[in-house]
Amino acid sequence: LVDAVTRHFRARVSEVCECACGQLLLEPMGYHQCSFFVCGSVLLQAEGGSLAGHLRTALGPSCPMPNCSLQTLLRRYVVQPLPSVITVAIVWDVEPLAEATAGEAARTILSRVDLSIEVPCAFEGGLPEGAHSRALLLGLVCRASEGWCGFFLDDEKRAWQWFDQSSSAPVGEGWSVVVERCESLGCKPAYLFYAPAKAD
């Protein structure tokens, strides 16, 4: 199982810490990870923007250089080859805003989820010739009040299927039905799964 996860999900990332002051010069840090992380609190903000816009960069710590009070920017480069499954983990670093219910927070976050990702735009670094440039959303796993539940797209029926630990059922076509189900159940979106689009 570990080998399968590593083979299909693991990505090699090179991360660069930059500052607008131009004084910060650090060596890139390379590492492997099986998912890319996005903060739920950022997506809940009115100016949060789409999820894909937060994959390539993230705010870092304050600049350590003297006479600079700016916050650094972490810029992520994905080293080829890309994983066969691109996993995005939504980190609930804060509880939903006090005036928002769990269902409302889920709706806000899922409304900012991209149904397809243009890989060259979502991640720094170019793609080799012939590589898939677009990845499609095929699955979502959520934290529910009594465990976990998920939604996966049936490729043949082009319809979303819902499941939990004990049952499964069709939900319907269109991302909106998934959003409505998550809102009604008060689910917390946790993992999104994208796969390269099939060649025409």
Side-chain angles (χ1 to χ4, degrees):
L1 178 59
V2 173
D3 288 342
V5 170
T6 299
R7 184 169 64 254
H8 293 292
F9 291 82
R10 190 173 71 165
R12 184 182 172 194
V13 179
S14 179
E15 189 172 84
V16 178
C17 185
E18 301 176 348
C19 181
C21 71
Q23 304 177 68
L24 187 62
L25 296 173
L26 298 176
E27 289 293 323
M29 180 177 66
Y31 55 91
H32 290 89
Q33 62 184 27
C34 288
S35 62
F36 300 91
F37 298 90
V38 174
C39 290
S41 58
V42 173
L43 296 175
L44 284 173
Q45 296 171 6
E47 66 278 10
S50 73
L51 179 141
H54 298 284
L55 294 176
R56 68 192 301 170
T57 58
L59 290 176
S62 297
C63 180
M65 302 303 294
N67 304 319
C68 181
S69 59
L70 298 175
Q71 195 167 10
T72 60
L73 185 70
L74 301 177
R75 196 177 298 277
R76 302 186 186 104
Y77 295 79
V78 178
V79 181
Q80 300 300 323
L82 289 172
S84 55
V85 178
I86 298 174
T87 306
V88 178
I90 299 174
V91 180
W92 288 76
D93 47 336
V94 295
E95 288 300 312
L97 301 178
E99 63 272 18
T101 65
E104 291 169 342
R107 173 174 284 277
T108 299
I109 287 177
L110 293 178
S111 69
R112 291 176 176 158
V113 166
D114 303 87
L115 301 185
S116 66
I117 291 177
E118 294 297 330
V119 177
C121 298
F123 301 103
E124 296 282 3
L127 288 175
E129 185 177 353
H132 293 286
S133 63
R134 192 162 61 104
L136 304 178
L137 178 65
L138 297 181
L140 164 69
V141 170
C142 302
R143 288 169 53 192
S145 59
E146 298 181 357
W148 296 85
C149 67
F151 302 83
F152 280 86
L153 186 62
D154 186 317
D155 197 36
E156 293 183 359
K157 299 179 180 178
R158 303 307 301 169
W160 289 92
Q161 304 286 322
W162 170 85
F163 70 91
D164 62 11
Q165 291 96 325
S166 60
S167 60
S168 64
V171 177
E173 299 179 7
W175 180 243
S176 61
V177 298
V178 175
V179 176
E180 291 170 3
R181 176 63 68 90
C182 284
E183 182 178 24
S184 65
L185 295 175
C187 297
K188 288 184 176 182
Y191 296 97
L192 299 158
F193 301 94
Y194 292 84
K198 295 179 180 178
D200 295 331

